[in-house]
């Protein structure tokens, strides 16, 4: 996954900039006490696509390019992401992330909550060095992300959840940070306002497409490739786009009965068959493709060049990784 992403994004700005971001991250997760260091570095050392810091570096090219503040901004968004994942894995009772035990599983929930808090604290230390506009943006984004997670848990197991609520959750919990990643790089690097706004729109639409595709993958993907089990969302009572579409389809009643029994992962095959038979998976992928198209329109407002093309490819890569699974 990371290799193919790097192939797409084989740009000098990333080849030069990402090692600097990694160094900043390594120092952010370091700690004097070995236990604290082990917990805070757990996700950092197990991998991840580093999409968000990549977007920061790319966004900065529309201004003055990479400097120390841009690198700090890139590390800050990744730390917000990783800190949220520590907490998300507690919320979702996840056992595995990146093919290794999640922090809550390796230790326990208390450790995962504190570890996540520490990463968010580190992110806020970096953020405070970025100037008012950027640090305010990062703070608002963290609030949005948390509100998204909260709305999601307010709707767990609710078969009356509508697509509008689901979309809002996706926007808050995922698209907001992807949009901010693009934006904050451009802000810190002093890019023109028109570029800052186009990048924000691109990030928001790409983020919607990304989470929609990720949710489809949770149903139709391959566990080994995903680094986490399939069917986790519905098992936890998170009903995503394909299921919400399925619930309003001709086989909605049947689906409702199955889900009302709160099935385990064994039901994934049956659910897939039903959702496929009513075209719900394709419709959800179609919704992701529509957001991707909107993201590409936003890119049309940016100067053409290798970075704008890379952003285009990145969006397509993130959505298309859900398509071959079909
Ligand atoms: C996972 O994000 C959570 C979602 C928003 C879908 P990523 O897929 O970017 O996470 P890593 O860091 O690459 O594992
Ligand atoms: C990702 O949500 C967490 C945040 C965006 C904060 P999910 O629960 O959908 O993501 P995975 O499937 O655990 O990566
Ligand atoms: Mg999760
Ligand atoms: Mg979750």
């Amino acid at each position: 996954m990371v290799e193919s992403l790097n192939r797409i994004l084989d740009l000098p700005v990333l080849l030069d900039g990402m090692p600097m971001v990694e160094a900043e991250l390594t120092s952010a997760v370091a700690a004097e006490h070995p236990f604290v260091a082990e917990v805070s570095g757990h996700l950092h050392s197990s991998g991840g696509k580093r999409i968000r810091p990549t977007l920061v570096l790319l966004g900065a090219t529309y201004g003055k390019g990479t400097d120390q503040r841009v690198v700090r901004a890139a590390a800050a968004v990744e730390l917000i992401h990783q800190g949220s994942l520590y907490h998300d894995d507690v919320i979702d009772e996840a056992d595995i992330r990146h093919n290794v035990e999640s922090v809550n599983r390796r230790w326990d929930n208390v450790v995962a909550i504190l570890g996540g808090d520490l990463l968010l604290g580190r992110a806020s230390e970096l953020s405070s060095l970025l100037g008012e506009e950027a640090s305010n943006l990062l703070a608002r984004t963290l609030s949005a992300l948390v509100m998204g997670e909260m709305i999601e848990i307010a709707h767990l197991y609710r078969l009356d959840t509508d697509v509008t609520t689901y979309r809002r959750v996706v926007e808050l919990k995922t698209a907001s940070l992807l949009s901010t990643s693009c934006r904050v790089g451009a802000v810190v690097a002093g890019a023109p306002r028109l570029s800052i706004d186009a990048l924000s729109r691109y990030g928001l639409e790409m983020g919607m497409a990304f989470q929609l595709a990720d949710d489809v993958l949770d149903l139709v993907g391959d566990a080994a490739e995903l680094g986490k089990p399939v069917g986790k969302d519905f098992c936890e009572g998170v009903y995503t786009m394909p299921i919400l579409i399925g619930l309003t389809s001709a086989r909605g009643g049947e689906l409702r009965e199955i889900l009302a029994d709160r099935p385990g992962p064994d039901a994934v095959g049956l659910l897939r068959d039903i959702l496929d038979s009513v075209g719900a998976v394709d419709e959800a992928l179609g919704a992701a493709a529509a957001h991707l198209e909107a993201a590409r329109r936003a890119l049309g407002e940016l100067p053409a060049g290798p970075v704008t093309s890379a952003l285009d490819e990145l969006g397509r890569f993130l959505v298309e990784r859900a398509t071959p699974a079909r």
Side-chain angles (χ1 to χ4, degrees):
M1 179 66 79
V2 178
E3 280 78 3
S4 52
L5 194 60
N6 283 345
R7 223 180 24 252
I8 289 175
L9 300 166
D10 196 13
L11 290 169
V13 58
L14 297 175
L15 297 176
D16 296 343
M18 283 313 279
M20 291 191 247
V21 175
E22 286 304 317
E24 189 72 50
L25 285 168
T26 302
S27 93
V29 301
E32 59 184 18
H33 193 288
F35 173 69
V36 178
E38 201 186 346
V39 172
S40 54
H42 185 77
L43 206 50
H44 172 68
S45 52
S46 66
K49 295 182 286 299
R50 305 283 195 261
I51 295 166
R52 295 153 190 82
T54 296
L55 291 172
V56 175
L57 295 184
L58 295 179
T61 66
Y62 296 90
K64 293 192 297 284
T66 306
D67 63 9
Q68 198 192 12
R69 288 170 72 231
V70 169
V71 170
R72 285 177 176 153
V77 296
E78 180 64 19
L79 288 165
I80 291 176
H81 169 60
Q82 290 184 13
S84 309
L85 291 181
Y86 278 37
H87 292 168
D88 182 65
D89 285 341
V90 172
I91 297 165
D92 295 345
E93 298 177 27
D95 296 323
I96 294 177
R97 166 130 358 231
H98 299 156
N99 279 318
V100 299
E101 281 180 314
S102 53
V103 178
N104 52 310
R105 172 73 190 196
R106 163 86 173 72
W107 291 278
D108 58 31
N109 283 352
V110 172
V111 171
I113 290 165
L114 291 171
D117 285 345
L118 180 56
L119 296 185
L120 296 177
R122 291 293 192 211
S124 119
E125 286 179 43
L126 290 171
S127 169
S128 72
L129 304 171
L130 300 178
E132 188 180 337
E133 182 176 356
S135 68
N136 181 264
L137 175 63
L138 291 174
R140 279 187 286 125
T141 306
L142 177 57
S143 306
L145 190 155
V146 173
M147 283 191 280
E149 292 271 271
M150 289 178 77
I151 299 172
E152 182 173 283
I153 62 163
H155 282 261
L156 291 186
Y157 294 108
R158 276 179 55 178
L159 293 163
D160 63 346
T161 302
D162 57 22
V163 168
T164 308
T165 305
Y166 164 78
R167 283 182 182 280
R168 182 71 180 138
V169 166
V170 169
E171 185 184 336
L172 288 169
K173 81 168 183 179
T174 302
S176 62
L177 184 56
L178 287 163
S179 176
T180 287
S181 299
C182 297
R183 188 177 182 90
V184 78
V187 165
V188 169
R193 283 286 137 187
L194 276 175
S195 299
I196 291 175
D197 289 339
L199 281 162
S200 303
R201 270 201 308 286
Y202 159 79
L204 193 78
E205 295 292 349
M206 190 273 264
M208 295 292 299
F210 169 55
Q211 182 71 54
L212 274 157
D214 202 72
D215 289 347
V216 169
L217 271 176
D218 184 82
L219 267 173
V220 307
D222 174 72
E225 210 173 296
L226 290 179
K228 55 187 183 185
V230 286
K232 192 89 181 97
D233 288 338
F234 75 80
C235 292
E236 294 293 332
V238 178
Y239 301 142
T240 60
M241 192 72 136
I243 292 202
L244 297 177
I245 293 170
L247 282 167
T248 61
S249 73
R251 298 184 71 178
E254 193 184 338
L255 204 52
R256 198 169 295 271
E257 271 177 35
I258 296 169
L259 292 172
D261 286 339
R262 303 193 174 186
D266 292 352
V268 72
L270 175 62
L271 287 176
R272 256 186 225 181
D273 289 346
I274 295 176
L275 294 172
D276 254 338
S277 76
V278 296
V281 175
D282 286 335
E283 208 179 306
L285 285 172
H291 282 290
L292 195 57
E293 210 32 60
R296 299 185 78 184
R297 281 198 298 277
L299 289 181
E301 293 165 42
L302 289 167
V307 173
T308 305
S309 306
L311 289 171
D312 189 17
E313 291 215 40
L314 177 61
R316 267 189 296 161
F317 166 77
L318 292 173
V319 174
E320 278 168 12
R321 77 200 172 105
T323 321
R326 302 282 299 117

